[in-house]
């Protein structure tokens, strides 16, 4: 009677697979960027329809914190040119280094006179700085000037590239914000002939 041959358990060398896994993990860690906290966090109203905002030619007005308004603008060159126009309007000088830093910042919510101080802060410090919002009163309507000069800067950049696309405006308001605060911003836009703008909302599921 022939003896039974012993069965050997198959083995798989996992060394190469572990190396690949660690390489991928290292790649994702090194290339990942931390999400920058919003300068003015808001809880947008819910909607079953959500329109995607453009990646360029866009200015966003964020409203929250009992009437505070923050201004944000896409495009480094457009941001720098807008700052230069605001500098000419209000007589506040900015260095080339400050302009470069401003071009990379998130939304701002301070009077133009306090902007140099805000630019000099680190990103984490800005989110905790307690920005009061951009003035928008009839005697000091800096928000209107930010929008006006952003449109000029955007048109200059597009004309240089052979494009005629206008600056798109989006309003991002907190769901708990009172209507008069939203209405005031809308009035500022309409005073400049801007009657078409987007309202940023949060997407919710439909009930069937």
């Amino acid at each position: 009677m022939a003896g039974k041959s012993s069965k050997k358990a198959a083995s798989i060398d996992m060394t190469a697979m572990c190396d690949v896994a660690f390489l991928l993990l290292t790649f994702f860690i090194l290339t990942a960027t931390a999400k920058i906290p919003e300068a003015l966090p808001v809880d947008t109203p819910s909607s079953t329809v959500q329109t995607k905002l453009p990646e360029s030619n866009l200015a966003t007005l964020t409203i929250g914190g009992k009437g505070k308004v923050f201004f944000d603008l896409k495009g480094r060159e457009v941001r720098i040119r807008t700052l230069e126009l605001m500098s000419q309007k209000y007589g506040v000088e900015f260095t080339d280094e400050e302009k470069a830093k401003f071009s990379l910042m998130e939304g701002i919510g301070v009077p133009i006179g306090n902007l140099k101080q805000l630019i000099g802060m680190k990103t984490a410090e800005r989110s905790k700085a307690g920005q009061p919002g951009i003035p928008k009163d009839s005697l000091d309507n800096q928000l209107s000037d930010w929008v006006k000069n952003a449109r000029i800067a955007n048109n200059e950049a597009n004309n240089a590239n052979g494009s005629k696309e206008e600056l798109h405006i989006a309003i991002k308001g907190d769901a708990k914000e009172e209507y008069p605060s939203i209405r005031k911003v809308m009035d500022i836009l309409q005073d400049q002939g801007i009657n078409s703008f987007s309202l940023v909302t949060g997407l919710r599921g439909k009930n069937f």
Side-chain angles (χ1 to χ4, degrees), residues 31 59 140 156:
T31 57
D140 187 17
E156 288 179 356

Side-chain angles (χ1 to χ4, degrees), residues 67-135:
K68 292 182 181 179
V69 181
F70 281 50
F71 177 81
D72 196 14
L73 183 63
K74 296 288 187 183
R76 294 184 61 180
E77 293 182 3
V78 176
R79 286 180 68 99
I80 290 175
R81 180 56 180 153
T82 302
L83 183 62
E84 291 173 346
L85 292 171
M86 289 294 291
S87 172
Q88 296 171 13
K89 167 75 177 181
Y90 289 92
V92 181
E93 296 294 330
F94 295 93
T95 65
D96 290 340
E97 182 181 358
E98 288 171 335
K99 293 175 185 178
K101 288 182 178 179
F102 177 78
S103 71
L104 299 173
M105 287 171 56
E106 293 292 308
I108 59 166
V110 295
I112 187 70
N114 301 110
L115 185 54
K116 288 176 72 72
Q117 182 181 358
L118 186 69
I119 293 174
M121 294 180 181
K122 295 180 180 179
T123 303
E125 294 174 340
R126 292 189 199 115
S127 61
K128 301 176 183 177
Q131 300 179 51
I134 296 176

Side-chain angles (χ1 to χ4, degrees), residues 5-207:
S5 60
S6 59
K7 294 183 178 180
K8 294 183 179 180
S11 62
I12 301 176
D13 188 358
M14 298 292 292
T15 304
M17 189 175 292
C18 290
D19 289 343
V20 172
F22 279 115
L23 284 172
L24 288 173
L25 180 61
T26 303
F27 171 78
F28 287 123
I29 291 174
L30 293 176
T31 57
T33 55
K35 183 179 180 181
I36 300 174
E38 289 183 295
L40 181 62
V42 294
D43 183 14
T44 55
S46 298
S47 173
T48 55
V49 179
Q50 195 172 41
T51 303
K52 186 175 181 180
L53 296 175
E55 295 293 330
S56 59
N57 302 298
L58 175 67
T60 303
L61 309 181
T62 303
I63 309 169
K66 297 182 179 179
K68 292 182 181 179
V69 181
F70 281 50
F71 177 81
D72 196 14
L73 183 63
K74 296 288 187 183
R76 294 184 61 180
E77 293 182 3
V78 176
R79 286 180 68 99
I80 290 175
R81 180 56 180 153
T82 302
L83 183 62
E84 291 173 346
L85 292 171
M86 289 294 291
S87 172
Q88 296 171 13
K89 167 75 177 181
Y90 289 92
V92 181
E93 296 294 330
F94 295 93
T95 65
D96 290 340
E97 182 181 358
E98 288 171 335
K99 293 175 185 178
K101 288 182 178 179
F102 177 78
S103 71
L104 299 173
M105 287 171 56
E106 293 292 308
I108 59 166
V110 295
I112 187 70
N114 301 110
L115 185 54
K116 288 176 72 72
Q117 182 181 358
L118 186 69
I119 293 174
M121 294 180 181
K122 295 180 180 179
T123 303
E125 294 174 340
R126 292 189 199 115
S127 61
K128 301 176 183 177
Q131 300 179 51
I134 296 176
K136 57 184 184 302
D137 298 326
S138 57
L139 298 177
D140 187 17
N141 198 340
Q142 295 183 22
L143 179 63
S144 178
D145 288 327
W146 275 110
V147 174
K148 177 183 177 181
N149 288 318
R151 297 176 72 194
I152 293 173
N154 193 76
N155 286 342
E156 288 179 356
N158 283 341
N159 288 337
N161 296 326
S163 172
K164 295 183 179 180
E165 187 171 356
E166 294 287 332
L167 182 68
H168 189 80
I169 308 292
I171 296 178
K172 184 179 180 182
D174 193 287
K176 297 180 182 179
E177 192 65 39
E178 295 182 359
Y179 177 72
S181 299
I182 309 291
R183 181 73 241 183
K184 190 166 189 176
V185 173
M186 293 170 65
D187 288 341
I188 289 173
L189 297 179
Q190 290 177 339
D191 286 343
Q192 296 189 31
I194 305 172
N195 298 307
S196 176
F197 44 82
S198 298
L199 295 176
V200 180
T201 59
L203 190 63
R204 64 176 171 83
K206 295 181 180 179
N207 295 322

